Amino acid sequence: MLPAGEKNGAKGSLLERLFRRMLDDTRQKHLMPIKLLFFVQASTLFVLYPFLTIHMKELGIGVEEAAAMNAITPVVAILMPPLAGMAADRIGNFKGQHKDHR
């Protein structure tokens, strides 16, 4: 085993860079409002998600339809961020970007 200071291949350096990047990200104060917004949004979604099927049943939605909606949700969640990123890159409105932020 290599000493802690030496890099031990691609995996060690990749993990080190990942943790360093995550640590640096926590120090950026200008990102705190959006981090708080995402935390609140995700926590409310995950708290209510188990009750969604019960709510669908109360609305009269069948089991097959509820299953289809629950199957589509993760696919949309996986595909939409890259598509939104591509749309933002195509629009190219970067006027609010500051040079001192990474």
Side-chain angles (χ1 to χ4, degrees):
M1 187 149 179
L2 295 172
E6 294 182 26
K7 294 188 181 199
N8 53 355
K11 285 186 180 182
S13 62
L14 179 63
L15 283 176
E16 287 173 8
R17 286 185 298 188
L18 176 67
F19 288 128
R20 188 174 303 119
R21 183 174 179 176
M22 288 171 50
L23 185 63
D24 290 343
D25 186 47
T26 60
R27 295 182 184 136
Q28 295 185 20
K29 303 262 190 248
H30 68 280
L31 295 176
M32 288 310 290
I34 198 158
K35 289 178 187 182
L36 183 64
L37 180 70
F38 276 116
F39 174 75
V40 169
Q41 187 267 337
S43 62
T44 56
L45 178 69
F46 295 139
V47 166
L48 296 176
Y49 196 74
F51 300 105
L52 186 60
T53 346
I54 298 169
H55 182 63
M56 288 180 182
K57 185 178 179 183
E58 292 293 322
L59 291 174
I61 298 173
V63 175
E64 294 85 11
E65 292 144 344
M69 285 187 250
N70 285 333
I72 290 172
T73 301
V75 174
V76 171
I78 290 171
L79 293 178
M80 287 311 291
L83 291 176
M86 285 188 272
D89 288 343
R90 186 167 298 270
I91 292 170
N93 185 3
F94 301 109
K95 292 178 184 175
Q97 192 176 23
H98 298 287
K99 291 182 180 181
D100 58 339
H101 296 149
R102 292 184 207 186

